[in-house]
Amino acid sequence: MPCWPLTPASNCRSERTDDVIEQATQTARVLNEALPYIQRLSGKTVVIKYGGNAMVDADLRESFARNMVLLKHVGVAPVVVHGGGPQIGQLLEQLGKESRFVQGMRVTDAETMDVVEMVLGGQVNKAIVAQINKVGGHAVGLTGKDGGLIRARPMKLAGRDADVELGQVGEVESIDPTLVHLIAGGDFIPVIAPIGVDAQGVAYNINADLAASKVATVLGAEKLLLLTNTPGVLDAGGKLLQALHASEVQALIDDGTIAGGMLPKVRCALDALDANVSTATIMDGRVANAVLLELFTDAGIGTQIRAGSAVAG
Ligand code: ADP
Ligand code: MG
């Protein structure tokens, strides 16, 4: 039995069979190998977009929460920005309201916006906070309304969808990071629901990838991790692209390989890199300990988006 969460160590020593010793040795090796990564990241901020689809499984939710608490304990400041698409969709369906998506954005009328606020800012945000706190962390839930965190304006799509009326779908106009600094600079882990507000107090539904990317930029984060429900960016044959350079992205969008909900992710990753976030990774949130794998192992996971062009050979 693992000793988690708070059993005193003296009560949970396993009998030292060969198997147990081998497993413990492996654990010690892994921790030791993580040291240089921890040293490099300690004192830095990592912004994690936690996707709606990666939140559905109870074991994964716990693994994610424990990863956040571990980061905090080794001196990394995790800042979580979460989605909640499936959860919003579920309640809208129960209410008999259909959703329409254009370029991965949910068309949001006033009634839909109420549901978005209830689900994102209420149910989903507090569930993540509670989960992190349950495993020993101190998470604090926020929406973009708190402390004037996210100022939003209506989003306008470009190109052939320019005439589409998206309703209360927003894009980030500006971020005031004061409150996040205050929270993350202490013992706390900020958990942000991507709801923005304009000067008149009107709320906007902001794609969580966009919000995460802007938050990462304004905080001067070292890394942006976008957790989702696929292994990363897949090529036309469905194979994972382990690295993707900025110069390769447009062609994949033009030929339709990157579409739907993957579009904002890739664009956000590129924006973050332009703004000096050192790496942006689109990765599988359905893998246990995904965040630790990416941050603290050589192999990493998912698709690391890189600035510039691929170097031949
Ligand atoms: P999330 O809730 O994590 O934001 P989304 O559904 O918005 O997830 O975006 C991820 C989805 O993007 C994938 O499940 C997949 O259907 C779609 N997608 C489009 N193009 C690609 C691609 N090239 N590689 C991987 N997924 C893609
Ligand atoms: Mg999405």
Side-chain angles (χ1 to χ4, degrees):
M1 269 292 286
C3 306
W4 189 261
L6 296 171
T7 321
S10 57
N11 288 352
C12 59
R13 285 177 81 101
S14 317
E15 195 187 330
R16 241 174 261 156
T17 61
D18 287 350
D19 279 356
V20 168
I21 290 171
E22 194 180 323
Q23 224 181 2
T25 305
Q26 177 64 16
T27 304
R29 188 180 304 130
V30 168
L31 285 170
N32 200 33
E33 280 174 9
L35 177 63
Y37 293 100
I38 292 173
Q39 285 170 318
R40 232 175 286 152
L41 266 188
S42 191
K44 306 263 167 67
T45 298
V46 176
V47 173
I48 302 120
K49 185 314 185 87
Y50 187 32
N53 284 305
M55 275 184 236
V56 198
D57 179 273
D59 287 344
L60 288 174
R61 282 199 301 266
E62 175 160 335
S63 151
F64 176 82
R66 291 180 63 166
N67 285 190
M68 295 307 105
V69 175
L70 191 145
L71 287 181
K72 193 78 188 174
H73 273 280
V74 298
V76 182
V79 174
V80 179
V81 180
H82 64 84
Q87 292 85 342
I88 293 167
Q90 212 176 357
L91 184 54
L92 285 170
E93 199 186 307
Q94 282 168 16
L95 297 171
K97 216 170 151 52
E98 285 204 0
S99 293
R100 189 159 70 94
F101 286 87
V102 181
Q103 291 193 22
M105 306 293 167
R106 183 191 302 275
V107 176
T108 305
D109 60 14
E111 215 174 85
T112 302
M113 190 62 219
D114 284 345
V115 172
V116 169
E117 278 207 81
M118 277 188 255
V119 175
L120 265 192
Q123 186 193 20
V124 174
N125 185 272
K126 298 311 163 196
I128 298 168
V129 166
Q131 183 87 51
I132 292 174
N133 293 349
K134 190 173 140 201
V135 296
H138 299 106
V140 175
L142 305 170
T143 77
K145 288 183 169 179
D146 292 288
L149 173 59
I150 304 176
R151 175 60 71 90
R153 62 178 167 231
M155 171 180 274
K156 295 265 172 279
L157 293 175
R160 65 192 154 85
D161 297 316
D163 293 339
V164 175
E165 182 46 70
L166 287 172
Q168 278 164 265
V169 176
E171 61 186 20
V172 177
E173 187 173 277
S174 61
I175 302 255
D176 180 344
T178 313
L179 182 58
V180 176
H181 279 307
L182 206 63
I183 292 170
D187 193 23
F188 298 99
I189 300 171
V191 177
I192 302 168
I195 295 164
V197 72
D198 71 10
Q200 281 70 45
V202 176
Y204 286 86
N205 175 19
I206 298 176
N207 176 280
D209 303 313
L210 296 179
S213 161
K214 294 284 185 196
V215 167
T217 299
V218 172
L219 291 177
E222 182 69 12
K223 288 174 186 282
L224 172 65
L225 308 181
L226 300 167
L227 273 60
T228 184
N229 62 340
T230 69
V233 182
L234 307 179
D235 69 13
K239 197 165 156 284
L240 174 68
L241 295 160
Q242 293 198 13
L244 185 59
H245 288 82
S247 62
E248 301 163 314
V249 168
Q250 195 55 48
L252 292 172
I253 293 176
D254 291 344
D255 73 7
T257 304
I258 293 175
M262 193 51 70
L263 280 168
K265 288 183 205 309
V266 172
R267 290 189 178 132
C268 287
L270 292 175
D271 287 349
L273 293 176
D274 275 348
N276 283 334
V277 173
S278 78
T279 64
T281 308
I282 297 170
M283 51 190 264
D284 200 340
R286 301 166 304 173
V287 172
N289 298 310
V291 171
L292 299 189
L293 280 171
E294 174 58 8
L295 295 181
F296 296 152
T297 70
D298 285 332
I301 65 168
T303 304
Q304 196 168 85
I305 312 285
R306 298 184 182 159
S309 317
V311 179

